[in-house]
Amino acid sequence: MQEHDQYRLFLHLAATLSFTRTAADCHVSPATLSRTVQRLEATTGHRLLDRGPHGVALTEHGHRFRRYVTDALELWDRYCDNDLARDQLGGRLRVFASVTACQSLLPDLLAPLRDAHPRVQISVRTGDAAAGLALLDDGETDLAVAALPSRIPATLLARPVTRTPLVLVRTDPPRSSVQLPAADEPFVLPGQGLVRDIANRWFRRISITPRIAAEADGHEALLTLVALDYGTGIIPDLVLQHCSIRHRLHLVPTPSGPGELTIGACIRRTDLHRPLVAAAWAATGAGQAVRSQH
């Protein structure tokens, strides 16, 4: 029996002052419990318990040994939990990210926070990537992983994580190696957000007025509409690569692509004084370094 197991048996016995009850509660035989007490008394050199006609009582040395054992077990438990090497940062961090970002970016970004501060609880909210910064600005989330605009609002801090080009996809294989969309080609586009803005600028650049066959909130929903053959979709390549229906879709090569998105981690500047948000912000920097090594 390990030393700390013996200590726990003694503490239980010191609380119950009953060999029968302690043996039953701790699932040991009365003989084993008696031998444990004898070994502890031999180690300390003092009688720890008096057994008389009126029951069991702690001796003066038994009371002192009880205080010692209580402190020793508390230190041991703290050591096993590694509390001495970790701080006590806790609380709940609210994170917003799209489904694709959850699968492809968050594990690397938040792993350093999880490792350094295991008491922190992380809650993740998913949804349309276009809503990420608005939710952050409204205080509904503490950290957002979202596409970054060319100008970051002064109220936010942003750290680029990755870049992804926008690509055209549809259900039919392309008829030639490189081509611009036909004038009457139907398109499936996001209802709002940076991808829609970039697509609109691209259409103007190539002098096409697109025929919008369908709109979607969220890139994953957009790919579903493309797979249903509503039209050609414009989508971040990162989303396509992590989509379960990508085998049903074909890339459409064009002479010039619509552009690219920068995906970043964002927090409110005024939240940086909060220990939890500051730790998360530091962790995203470490997580980005880990991701760049992959």
Side-chain angles (χ1 to χ4, degrees):
M1 183 179 295
Q2 297 293 322
E3 180 181 70
H4 295 97
D5 294 332
Q6 297 180 47
Y7 287 175
R8 290 187 173 90
L9 280 178
F10 178 80
L11 276 185
H12 193 287
L13 180 57
T16 64
L17 297 178
S18 168
F19 277 78
T20 302
R21 181 176 170 186
T22 293
D25 289 349
C26 298
H27 306 289
V28 297
S29 67
T32 297
L33 182 57
S34 294
R35 287 194 297 271
T36 298
V37 173
Q38 292 169 5
R39 280 195 293 269
L40 291 175
E41 289 179 334
T43 300
T44 60
H46 299 284
R47 180 178 293 278
L48 302 177
L49 294 165
D50 279 334
R51 285 173 256 191
H54 300 293
V56 178
L58 288 171
T59 66
E60 180 182 351
H61 284 289
H63 283 290
R64 290 176 56 191
F65 188 66
R66 181 183 188 179
R67 290 193 293 270
Y68 164 77
V69 166
T70 299
D71 291 342
L73 287 176
E74 180 180 349
L75 286 173
W76 176 251
D77 289 339
R78 289 175 59 194
Y79 173 79
C80 291
D81 289 340
N82 208 18
D83 284 348
L84 295 177
R86 299 183 189 270
D87 61 23
Q88 299 299 309
L89 183 64
R92 183 168 66 97
L93 180 73
R94 301 170 301 162
V95 178
F96 174 88
S98 68
V99 172
T100 296
C102 287
Q103 296 173 346
S104 62
L105 301 176
L106 282 193
D108 285 340
L109 282 179
L110 296 183
L113 177 68
R114 177 66 176 162
D115 292 340
H117 307 290
R119 297 179 185 272
V120 171
Q121 296 179 341
I122 299 174
S123 65
V124 180
R125 175 178 177 178
T126 64
D128 183 2
L133 296 189
L135 290 171
L136 181 64
D137 201 42
D138 290 342
E140 295 189 34
T141 189
D142 302 311
L143 172 73
V145 178
L148 302 180
S150 56
R151 290 187 177 183
I152 306 298
T155 56
L156 303 182
L157 289 174
R159 172 178 286 131
V161 174
T162 191
R163 290 179 171 80
T164 179
L166 298 186
V167 295
L168 276 66
V169 292
R170 63 183 178 213
T171 54
D172 297 330
R175 291 183 292 274
S176 61
S177 57
V178 177
Q179 62 180 4
L180 287 173
D184 61 344
E185 185 168 345
F187 278 90
V188 180
L189 298 177
Q192 60 181 343
L194 287 178
V195 172
R196 180 61 178 265
D197 295 340
I198 294 172
N200 288 340
R201 289 196 296 270
W202 182 65
F203 287 131
R204 289 194 296 269
R205 193 164 65 244
I206 62 176
S207 301
I208 286 181
T209 300
R211 179 163 69 89
I212 310 300
E215 294 180 331
D217 292 331
H219 301 315
E220 293 80 12
L222 187 151
L223 285 178
T224 298
L225 294 177
V226 174
L228 290 171
D229 208 20
Y230 277 92
T232 299
I234 297 181
I235 198 81
D237 186 57
L238 184 67
V239 176
L240 179 64
Q241 296 307 315
H242 288 83
C243 176
S244 61
I245 58 174
R246 65 183 181 275
H247 62 282
R248 300 175 60 176
L249 306 173
H250 297 274
L251 284 172
V252 181
T254 60
S256 63
E260 70 173 14
L261 286 181
T262 299
I263 311 298
C266 306
I267 62 170
R268 287 183 299 276
R269 191 179 295 272
T270 54
D271 283 348
L272 197 56
H273 73 281
R274 295 169 51 196
L276 179 55
V277 175
W281 185 242
T284 60
Q288 180 185 0
V290 170
R291 178 178 172 78
S292 67
Q293 296 172 7
H294 288 177

